[in-house]
């Protein structure tokens, strides 16, 4: 079974600075997807960024980028120019790329609570 | 707003009771997923429905059941509730099994 580990329960950063959240995963599959979700106090799970395992290029979405190291099974999220609105729980998630129905679920890490200091 | 609607937003009930959580997926989405978020277990997949048919089960207790109706809305039924069932229950929907899933705002269930 696949597992996702986030080793940093909490992180904090000064506003306008850069922060990196860590995520490692364990899988024997070669076809899969990785995601970062943001959960603000409103509880809504918001997709931040997505990475397909077959793509070598790291995904970027505005101030959010990932460092995907497939061999090391590492998938970190970098937030540049941190803003107060970035404060939230961040979850790393894995999804199999296989075609069978059981592959479509998301497997989540434990989350990292990010605090932005003004 | 993700377009996925969950009702109710909050629910408080007593041990031993039964509740029904409702999810309306985004228009056109055929897949509905249910997840449970609790302090001790984190976010866990419960069950997946596609176009009315159950397609995958995760760590869903036998006291829990779900269904997806012809209009594609889904209900999660929780019975013989225990204190440990207190959690945030999310519904997510997607067009199909390999497309992006969008989450609702969740139902906060408190069992007292």
């Amino acid at each position: 079974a696949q597992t996702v580990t986030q080793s940093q329960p909490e992180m904090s950063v000064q506003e306008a600075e850069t922060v990196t959240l860590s995520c490692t995963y364990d899988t024997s599959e070669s076809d899969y997807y990785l995601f970062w979700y943001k959960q603000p106090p409103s509880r809504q799970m918001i997709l931040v960024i997505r990475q397909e395992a077959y793509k070598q290029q790291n995904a970027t979405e505005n101030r959010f980028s990932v460092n995907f190291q497939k061999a090391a099974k590492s998938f970190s999220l970098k937030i540049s120019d941190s803003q107060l609105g970035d404060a939230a729980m961040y979850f790393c998630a894995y999804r199999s790329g296989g075609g069978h129905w059981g592959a479509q679920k998301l497997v989540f890490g434990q989350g990292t609570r990010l605090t932005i200091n003004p | 707003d993700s377009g996925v609607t969950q009702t109710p937003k909050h629910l408080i009930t007593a041990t031993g009771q039964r509740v029904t959580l409702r999810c309306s997926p985004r228009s056109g989405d055929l897949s509905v997923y249910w997840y449970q978020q609790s302090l001790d277990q984190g976010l866990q997949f419960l069950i997946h429905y596609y176009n009315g048919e159950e397609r995958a089960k995760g760590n869903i207790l036998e006291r829990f059941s779900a269904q997806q109706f012809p209009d594609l809305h889904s209900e999660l039924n929780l019975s013989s509730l225990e204190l440990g069932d207190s959690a945030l229950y999310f519904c997510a929907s997607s067009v199909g099994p390999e497309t992006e899933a969008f989450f609702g705002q969740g139902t906060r269930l408190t069992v007292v």
Side-chain angles (χ1 to χ4, degrees), chain B residues 29-49:
Chain B
D29 284 0
L30 300 179
S31 271
V32 170
Y33 307 81
W34 286 97
Y35 290 85
Q36 179 194 58
Q37 184 179 23
S38 62
L39 284 175
D40 53 347
Q41 300 287 337
L43 268 158
Q44 291 207 323
F45 166 72
L46 294 178
I47 198 162
H48 171 208
Y49 275 83

Side-chain angles (χ1 to χ4, degrees), chain A residues 2-23:
Chain A
Q2 295 80 25
T3 59
V4 177
T5 302
Q6 294 177 248
S7 58
Q8 306 154 315
E10 295 183 352
M11 292 280 286
S12 63
V13 64
Q14 290 296 125
E15 191 177 4
E17 296 197 342
T18 296
V19 64
T20 298
L21 308 185
S22 301
C23 172

Side-chain angles (χ1 to χ4, degrees), chain A residues 33 35 37 39 42-47 50 91 95 97-109, chain B residues 2 9-10 31 33 35 37 43-45 48 50 55-56 88 90 97-101 103-108:
Chain A
Y33 301 85
F35 306 86
Y37 280 89
Q39 187 178 37
S42 67
R43 307 179 325 202
Q44 178 84 49
M45 293 290 287
I46 302 166
L47 178 64
R50 158 192 172 131
F91 291 94
R95 192 185 83 201
H100 61 93
W101 288 106
Q104 309 314 320
K105 66 180 181 184
L106 289 166
V107 178
F108 288 92
Chain B
S2 66
K9 287 188 169 51
H10 303 275
S31 271
Y33 307 81
Y35 290 85
Q37 184 179 23
L43 268 158
Q44 291 207 323
F45 166 72
H48 171 208
Y50 177 79
R55 292 300 184 183
L88 188 54
F90 282 107
E98 294 197 17
T99 55
E100 219 57 72
F103 283 77
Q105 286 200 305
T107 293
R108 167 75 68 188

Side-chain angles (χ1 to χ4, degrees), chain B residues 11-92:
Chain B
L11 195 51
I12 301 175
T13 189
T15 54
Q17 295 298 305
R18 172 189 168 94
V19 297
T20 297
L21 313 183
R22 182 187 171 102
C23 170
S24 295
R26 295 185 318 156
S27 177
D29 284 0
L30 300 179
S31 271
V32 170
Y33 307 81
W34 286 97
Y35 290 85
Q36 179 194 58
Q37 184 179 23
S38 62
L39 284 175
D40 53 347
Q41 300 287 337
L43 268 158
Q44 291 207 323
F45 166 72
L46 294 178
I47 198 162
H48 171 208
Y49 275 83
Y50 177 79
N51 203 21
E53 299 287 331
E54 180 188 307
R55 292 300 184 183
K57 265 187 174 180
N59 298 322
I60 187 166
L61 300 172
E62 285 191 11
R63 301 183 284 109
F64 296 1
S65 65
Q67 51 185 329
Q68 186 180 26
F69 294 87
D71 67 353
L72 301 177
H73 91 271
S74 178
E75 293 181 355
L76 179 66
N77 300 295
L78 315 177
S79 62
S80 303
L81 285 167
E82 303 175 358
L83 296 178
D85 297 327
S86 296
L88 188 54
Y89 291 85
F90 282 107
C91 165

Side-chain angles (χ1 to χ4, degrees), chain A residues 62-106:
Chain A
N62 301 313
R63 297 182 295 106
F64 299 86
S65 61
V66 298
N67 183 4
F68 174 46
Q69 301 289 327
K70 191 171 183 178
K73 296 180 181 174
S74 169
F75 182 62
S76 60
L77 174 70
K78 185 172 83 171
I79 306 174
S80 304
D81 185 26
S82 298
Q83 300 176 0
L84 294 178
D86 295 333
M89 279 290 285
Y90 286 82
F91 291 94
C92 179
Y94 172 102
R95 192 185 83 201
S96 296
H100 61 93
W101 288 106
Q104 309 314 320
K105 66 180 181 184
L106 289 166

